[in-house]
């Protein structure tokens, strides 16, 4: 079962991919990228240099205990990260 969140998170990335993130005051280490996709829409653009993309990652991450599956999103317009979904 999955739950939707949409919570802002802090993410550390390497070569454009998330490697760690903080959610609800816990540090998660990414163990494996399960999927990555990009959705681009013209109306998401806020400037000519903005590609108007939302980049998604489904990944396995560990907060120091049991690993779980999470979906993260990066929004190019606001340059912010969200934790979109978590699976039990």
């Amino acid at each position: 079962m999955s739950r939707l969140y949409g919570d802002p998170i802090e993410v550390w990335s390497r070569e454009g991919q998330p490697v760690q993130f903080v959610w609800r005051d816990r540090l998660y280490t990414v163990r494996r990228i399960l999927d990555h996709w990009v959705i681009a829409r013209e109306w998401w653009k806020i400037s000519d240099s903005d590609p108007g993309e939302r980049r998604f990652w489904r990944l396995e991450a560990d907060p120091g205990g049991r690993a779980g599956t999470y979906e993260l999103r990066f929004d190019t317009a606001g340059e912010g990260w969200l934790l979109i979904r978590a699976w039990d």
Side-chain angles (χ1 to χ4, degrees), residues 7-42:
D7 293 347
I9 56 174
E10 187 172 353
V11 175
W12 290 267
S13 60
R14 185 179 312 122
E15 297 177 7
Q17 294 191 4
V19 293
Q20 289 184 316
F21 62 94
V22 173
W23 179 47
R24 297 186 174 179
D25 297 323
R26 295 183 75 182
L27 177 65
Y28 291 75
T29 300
V30 175
R31 299 292 178 213
R32 185 167 55 126
I33 302 290
L34 303 173
D35 200 3
H36 173 250
W37 65 99
V38 177
I39 299 174
R41 299 287 186 263
E42 199 58 35

Side-chain angles (χ1 to χ4, degrees), residues 21 28 31 37 43 59 74 81 84 86 88:
F21 62 94
Y28 291 75
R31 299 292 178 213
W37 65 99
W43 61 83
L59 49 83
F74 178 75
W81 288 88
I84 299 297
D88 293 338

